[in-house]
Amino acid sequence: MNEIFFPYLNHRISEESKECAIENILFHLMPYLIAKNDNELKKYKAMVSFDLMNSLVDEKDEALLFLKYRTKAIKKLKCNEECFDIYKYEYEAYIANGGADAIIHGYTYRDMNEVLKKETPNLMMMYFFILTLLRLRKYAPQKFSIHKAKQIISNLFLSLNGREDFYQLWGITNTAKCISKYLPKGHIIFGYIHTLIQHNIINIQEMTAAKELLSDKVKEALLSYEEEKCYTLTSEIVGYALYARRMLEKFKHKQASESIKFLSMPDKAFKKFDFKVIEPVFEDFSEKERQKYIDRDSNSHTVRHLKAEPDL
């Protein structure tokens, strides 16, 4: 599980199908967030492709269209119907990921949503971890390190209900386990949750207690990928994810054995779907944060600036 793959990457997409393809990409991203291994990933991906195939036919409201699409996809024939190219590539992905056997012995959206809800504390922690790394990268690069980011989120500084304070939501041990599990997909988690926050699907401004970040309301918000208000924001989600990957994979602490590595996405995706890097707006460290974490040590950490990748 080193690279994120979408069914449409190696094929030509008609201009009429492009918007539909971009919206579908969010559904294809979700399995990468929750799958524990390649076998689980294939089953989730088969389920997503199967569902998207059906949704394309359902929108036409024609029972016979399903048979027409399926027959032509199986025989690899051309079809002039709108979005058939999307259907065909979803069908090919469905077969490649196990087909009917993967559906029978695999997962449903209900399974995926249950994992998302169960993992909400870890996903939120990972969001703030990546956000903290980005803040260190921009506002305190001499302190940039995974260890420093762990320290900061273990006592997260928040402004809630007009009150600024430090809150302990995650222990150091849990934080370390979570980072080990989720770091390769951290940029996608950041892109998804940051977009939800930016559009008030997760409304931090209305929260009055830190524990609300882990509440049932937030758990339900993480399931918003199924709603139009969310999947139409795919380009924004990917844009923030690309920014996190570009900024964090270039930096390395002097004592670190290697730099941060995220799941990659083939460069052709950027050109085909016009995805662009989006720089999020985030605040500098507050005076209290600087006193506690940034200015406390007299010795500054040395950060090695790696050779930059070409801008995407």
Side-chain angles (χ1 to χ4, degrees):
M1 198 190 300
N2 297 317
E3 184 177 77
I4 294 171
F5 182 81
F6 308 136
Y8 328 120
L9 283 180
N10 297 325
H11 303 282
R12 180 181 175 276
I13 296 290
S14 66
E15 199 61 34
E16 295 78 13
S17 300
K18 190 174 179 180
E19 182 179 350
C20 176
I22 291 174
E23 292 178 356
N24 286 354
I25 284 173
L26 178 57
F27 292 90
H28 287 292
L29 281 177
M30 300 311 293
Y32 287 93
L33 298 190
I34 63 171
K36 298 176 184 176
N37 51 55
D38 288 338
N39 184 49
E40 278 195 8
L41 181 64
K42 289 187 68 173
K43 290 180 179 179
Y44 277 119
K45 290 174 73 171
M47 179 269 294
V48 169
S49 289
F50 183 78
D51 177 71
L52 292 175
M53 285 160 51
N54 288 337
S55 68
L56 286 169
V57 175
D58 290 343
E59 289 178 4
K60 303 292 183 182
D61 197 27
E62 297 177 23
L64 291 178
L65 193 59
F66 175 79
L67 294 176
K68 181 179 180 180
Y69 271 29
R70 179 64 62 86
T71 300
K72 288 187 176 291
I74 291 173
K75 294 182 178 181
K76 298 185 179 181
L77 299 175
K78 291 184 178 180
C79 178
N80 294 324
E81 293 284 351
E82 182 182 355
C83 290
F84 172 73
D85 50 351
I86 300 295
Y87 183 97
K88 180 174 181 290
Y89 304 142
E90 291 291 358
Y91 175 78
E92 291 175 356
Y94 163 69
I95 295 299
N97 285 304
D101 187 63
I103 297 297
I104 294 171
H105 303 288
Y107 303 103
T108 65
Y109 276 112
R110 180 178 179 180
D111 296 320
M112 188 152 68
N113 290 347
E114 286 300 316
V115 175
L116 282 171
K117 287 193 287 187
K118 180 182 177 182
E119 292 295 308
T120 292
N122 290 332
L123 294 173
M124 292 301 293
M125 190 281 290
M126 201 65 206
Y127 165 74
F128 281 105
F129 176 73
I130 297 296
L131 177 62
T132 300
L133 284 175
L134 289 171
R135 294 173 74 206
L136 286 168
R137 165 72 169 82
K138 184 172 184 178
Y139 296 118
Q142 76 282 4
K143 296 291 186 178
F144 181 90
S145 73
I146 286 179
H147 177 69
K148 178 60 68 176
K150 287 179 184 178
Q151 284 185 327
I152 293 172
I153 65 169
S154 67
N155 280 285
L156 192 65
F157 185 79
L158 297 169
S159 178
L160 299 173
N161 201 26
R163 179 189 173 193
E164 294 183 339
D165 206 346
F166 293 95
Y167 298 90
Q168 187 171 9
L169 294 172
W170 305 282
I172 290 291
T173 301
N174 290 339
T175 298
K177 290 180 180 179
C178 181
I179 291 171
S180 175
K181 178 180 179 180
Y182 281 108
L183 185 58
K185 16 186 150 174
H187 58 319
I188 303 297
I189 295 170
F190 174 79
Y192 181 51
I193 295 180
H194 193 75
T195 301
L196 296 183
I197 291 172
Q198 288 299 106
H199 291 270
N200 292 324
I201 298 172
I202 295 177
N203 197 333
I204 292 181
Q205 299 301 319
E206 291 184 350
M207 295 181 182
T208 58
K211 287 187 177 181
E212 290 184 48
L213 286 169
L214 314 179
S215 66
D216 289 341
K217 202 170 184 179
V218 172
K219 291 178 181 180
E220 291 301 321
L222 290 183
L223 309 186
S224 298
Y225 69 91
E226 297 182 277
E227 302 176 20
E228 184 176 1
K229 64 182 180 183
C230 191
Y231 61 69
T232 53
L233 300 172
T234 299
S235 293
E236 190 171 332
I237 292 167
V238 173
Y240 288 135
L242 294 179
Y243 176 83
R245 176 173 174 250
R246 185 179 73 170
M247 298 305 291
L248 299 182
E249 282 192 339
K250 293 179 186 179
F251 255 44
K252 177 184 175 183
H253 189 277
K254 183 180 180 180
Q255 296 178 350
S257 58
E258 58 184 23
S259 59
I260 296 172
K261 293 295 182 185
F262 294 119
L263 294 177
S264 64
M265 189 162 63
D267 290 345
K268 65 183 75 174
F270 302 107
K271 296 180 180 179
K272 179 176 290 188
F273 299 111
D274 300 320
F275 290 144
K276 303 193 184 309
V277 173
I278 302 176
E279 181 175 357
V281 177
F282 44 83
E283 296 181 354
D284 194 352
F285 292 100
S286 67
E287 184 177 345
K288 290 183 178 180
E289 286 177 296
R290 285 194 170 275
Q291 289 175 351
K292 188 176 181 67
Y293 294 117
I294 308 301
D295 301 329
R296 182 177 60 179
D297 302 325
S298 58
N299 297 323
S300 61
H301 297 297
T302 301
V303 176
R304 184 180 305 163
H305 197 177
L306 301 181
K307 184 179 178 181
E309 297 177 0
D311 285 347
L312 302 173

